[in-house]
Amino acid sequence: MKKLEKVLALSLVLTLFGAAAVFAGSNQQGERHAIVFKSTGNPYGERQMGGFETGIKEQGFTAILRAPDLPTAEAQIQMIEQLIAQRVTSICIVGNDFDALQPVLTKAKAQGIKIFSLDSSVNPASRLTHVNQADSEKIGQTLVEAASDLAGGSGEIAILSATSQASNQNLWIDYMRKELEKPQYANLRLVKVAYGDDLRDKSVSETEGLLLSYPNLKVIIAPTTVGIAAAGKVLADRDLQGKVKLTGLGLPSEMAEYIDNGVCPYMYLWNPIDVGYLGAYVATNLTSGKITGKEGEQFGAGRLGSYTITKAPDGGTEVLLGPPFKFDKANINDWKSVY
Ligand code: RAM
């Protein structure tokens, strides 16, 4: 073979090899799984996305982590449009709204992208399944039981939530309201549900507003990690420990000082890293076709073991991580450096 022919033959081989590698990549190693959290600047969300990334990477795929600056459905819609254009393999959505994302998620689905929600659900028509951190009804019941205990069975209580559209908090609040109808809580009065939008400053000012409007307030329930940490700071700064008590769902790393100083005698949460990690395995099992999101299907989730898809209270399906965990003075030091 002459020199020029050799060069041409070699470049042909390299071109074919390159094309084959790209082709193989798009079918296998090329899987790109995206997670879209509610908003940036939330340490809980960072841990949840971190767990997702670990689970995707350890299976040899690429994770794409996204969160808008503000916790709105509009911002998530734009982000999902971009992910559709990037032809990602799956989208795990932490919904800022239960229904508003349906059109864009339906569009993504039509392009073959596997869609499921995690932490904060989207409606069953928009998702294949939902990764739920803990039983929603149990969370509602547990928080009312805690508020009643901390209030001594009677008096005014308030809720400091995330955004008014957040489907996870709204579901928990619905269950709290139902629980409050039980006769044993007849002397407990829910005076207000305030919304701090999972923004630190707004959560601080909403807490201050509650204290001003309800001077007899006994307990604040904050079913959001951003809200409970902000309320903890306000109560501590004003030396209100023992007078207005705080409970809810908090990150041990952010809440240890308020549990230690008695502002928040106890609170609950699950492991956000594990929620994200479980999501990573839902993404890849939906992609491989091992699961489709139907009740009764089973799959392995790496170090967490095996899971079964169950019926969700909203008529869709879900994968439940496990029960919520109680943090108090006795155990908070063991957890504050973990998450
Ligand atoms: C906040 C977010 C998140 C929720 C936790 C408890 O960080 O609202 O969605 O699950 O609180």
Side-chain angles (χ1 to χ4, degrees), residues 51-62 277 280-281 301-304:
F52 181 84
E53 185 174 31
T54 304
I56 292 294
K57 276 193 176 163
E58 75 182 17
Q59 297 178 81
F61 303 122
T62 303
Y277 183 87
Y281 279 84
R303 63 169 167 78
L304 293 177

Side-chain angles (χ1 to χ4, degrees), residues 12 56 64 78 86 136-137 142 198-199 208 215 227 249 251 274 289 315 324:
L12 181 68
I56 292 294
I64 300 175
Q78 278 185 20
Q86 291 172 30
S136 307
E137 182 173 19
T142 304
D198 270 353
L199 302 172
E208 285 164 347
L249 305 173
L251 269 183
D274 288 350

